[in-house]
Amino acid sequence: MPSGAGREGTGGGGGAPPQSKKMKFAVVVFPGSNCDEDAYHAVTDVLGQHAEYIWHKDTDLKGADVVILPGGFAHGDYLRTGAMARFSPIMREVERFAARGGPVLGICNGFQVLLEAGLLPGAMLRNDNLKFRCEHVYIRVEQTDTPFTLACRRGQVLRIPIAHGEGNYFAEPDVIARLEANRQIVFRYTDAAGDVRETANPNGSKAAIAGLCNEARNVVGLMPHPERACESVLGSADGLLIFESVVAALKTGAFGGSTGPALQTVR
Amino acid sequence: MRARVFVTLKASVFDPQGKTIADALHSLGYEAIDEVRQGKYFELDLKTTEAEQARALAAEVADKLLANPVIESYRIEVD
């Protein structure tokens, strides 16, 4: 078991103001996850919310308001990234949660798991340069009507680190066209000025895609690691916007169940 | 029976590893080699003695786990 499994966070010394009701984040832990504690730290210590680790063999999300599939190498990434994690028992519950409209965030390997599970379209290939890229990159927020970008401005450029060898997003041209038409491309790799350039694309992703959402917009996956960029001491606090967004989104009541209004109506 | 499953990237998918291998072969003087596509190979030892059953089972696990149809295709040989 991971060291902190079962531990419940209370958001001790965080900078967030006290709130009447804290949101509960489920951080799913697969064998080989290694960014679970970073996500837990960002949610509790920085954001001031509740978080709980959920082991991949669990079959209950324990009443979570938000689900995070963290980065790492689930099941060693043997065969293909995310291919085996898709069959973990907790994924059935994550699918049900997502189908009900609950907000799900897949970060890096978590994004790869969402792709393999079919919760998001497309697949990941080896980076076109064949290198494991570990550096800060710039991504532009393309859509703000998702639970994880609500607090961003459209066109806002975020500086967030990446760390992956297989982040080369691929989908057939007709799928990319559909993603564009449905405004499902949530983040694109750009330069610091927010311009899409080949030199700013670290892995060869089609359409410079760094992150996308499903048609219902409640499931978001991205390759960069916002949880590693939530405190300025780490070089950037831009990632905090992603987590603040979902707290704001949940307060609107638009997520977490099938009865809430569409997010577009409450922006 | 034994089923052999060959998984390769679909023709529409750029294969950076294959390209790098081709470049290496060219630098070794093998100009006659035009292009390289690389992939995965699985040998499945099966309890069945029926070739069609073996093929069907291999196809089932290829669809379910061994290959990702978004980026890969596969070919099966049974003997």
Side-chain angles (χ1 to χ4, degrees):
Chain A
M1 289 288 280
S3 56
R7 183 158 56 103
E8 179 127 4
T10 53
Q19 292 165 7
S20 52
K21 182 188 178 301
K22 291 184 177 182
M23 305 300 172
K24 188 169 174 186
F25 287 66
V27 178
V28 177
V29 182
F30 298 98
S33 294
N34 65 9
C35 300
D36 43 343
E37 300 207 9
D38 303 62
Y40 186 98
H41 167 72
V43 166
T44 57
D45 298 330
V46 185
L47 200 62
Q49 303 294 324
H50 277 299
E52 188 164 349
Y53 293 110
I54 306 286
W55 183 235
H56 78 118
K57 285 191 172 169
D58 286 352
T59 53
D60 182 0
L61 288 167
K62 299 178 184 170
D65 301 302
V66 187
V67 172
I68 296 179
L69 303 185
F73 299 85
H75 298 272
D77 274 356
Y78 302 128
L79 188 62
R80 291 183 312 278
T81 56
M84 296 181 186
R86 165 191 163 198
F87 296 104
S88 286
I90 195 62
M91 288 305 293
R92 302 291 81 72
E93 196 52 38
V94 172
E95 283 164 7
R96 276 192 283 274
F97 180 82
R100 286 200 302 270
V104 177
L105 180 67
I107 300 168
C108 195
N109 191 227
F111 184 14
Q112 294 163 338
V113 173
L114 289 174
L115 294 172
E116 283 281 342
L119 287 167
L120 291 173
M124 286 299 175
L125 298 166
R126 286 281 294 272
N127 293 349
D128 64 349
N129 45 51
L130 295 173
K131 291 185 171 64
F132 187 98
R133 299 289 295 262
C134 186
E135 62 205 46
H136 278 79
V137 298
Y138 295 98
I139 56 173
R140 189 177 69 199
V141 179
E142 304 288 88
Q143 307 296 338
T144 55
D145 58 343
T146 82
F148 298 100
T149 51
L150 196 64
C152 303
R153 279 178 291 106
R154 195 161 180 198
Q156 187 170 1
V157 178
L158 309 179
R159 183 168 176 271
I160 296 188
I162 56 166
H164 61 251
E166 275 133 338
N168 180 0
Y169 180 80
F170 177 87
E172 295 290 348
D174 61 314
V175 177
I176 299 283
R178 202 174 70 227
L179 292 176
E180 298 272 16
N182 292 342
R183 301 184 304 103
Q184 287 175 251
I185 300 170
V186 179
F187 302 104
R188 275 188 232 264
Y189 297 109
T190 65
D191 61 16
D195 293 322
V196 172
R197 293 181 192 281
E198 205 167 314
T199 50
N201 184 337
N203 49 37
S205 285
K206 295 275 188 230
I209 291 172
L212 52 99
C213 67
N214 62 346
E215 282 188 35
R217 312 192 82 73
N218 60 309
V219 178
V220 171
L222 79 167
M223 286 312 292
H225 284 272
E227 82 284 11
R228 295 187 190 175
C230 287
E231 295 157 284
S232 53
V233 69
L234 297 177
S236 170
D238 291 353
L240 195 55
L241 280 170
I242 308 296
F243 298 102
E244 287 173 343
S245 288
V246 73
V247 173
L250 285 164
K251 281 185 182 161
T252 68
F255 290 92
S258 56
T259 53
L263 183 59
Q264 286 87 337
T265 65
V266 297
R267 278 167 75 192
Chain B
M1 302 287 301
R2 174 168 291 178
R4 298 182 162 84
V5 183
F6 301 82
V7 177
T8 51
L9 290 170
K10 293 197 298 193
S12 58
V13 175
F14 175 62
D15 176 4
Q17 289 164 278
K19 171 76 165 54
T20 304
I21 294 162
D23 290 347
L25 291 171
H26 294 159
S27 70
L28 289 171
Y30 293 101
E31 295 299 333
I33 293 171
D34 198 23
E35 202 181 324
V36 176
R37 307 277 292 174
Q38 54 80 49
K40 298 190 187 107
Y41 168 63
F42 303 86
E43 280 183 1
L44 309 177
D45 285 319
L46 309 171
K47 290 192 168 75
T48 180
T49 54
E50 300 289 329
E52 278 318 298
Q53 255 184 21
R55 185 174 293 279
L57 183 57
E60 186 179 326
V61 298
D63 285 331
K64 190 168 186 178
L65 182 66
L66 302 183
N68 179 340
V70 177
I71 47 173
E72 296 168 326
S73 56
Y74 63 84
R75 177 169 60 81
I76 296 170
E77 291 177 2
V78 173
D79 56 46

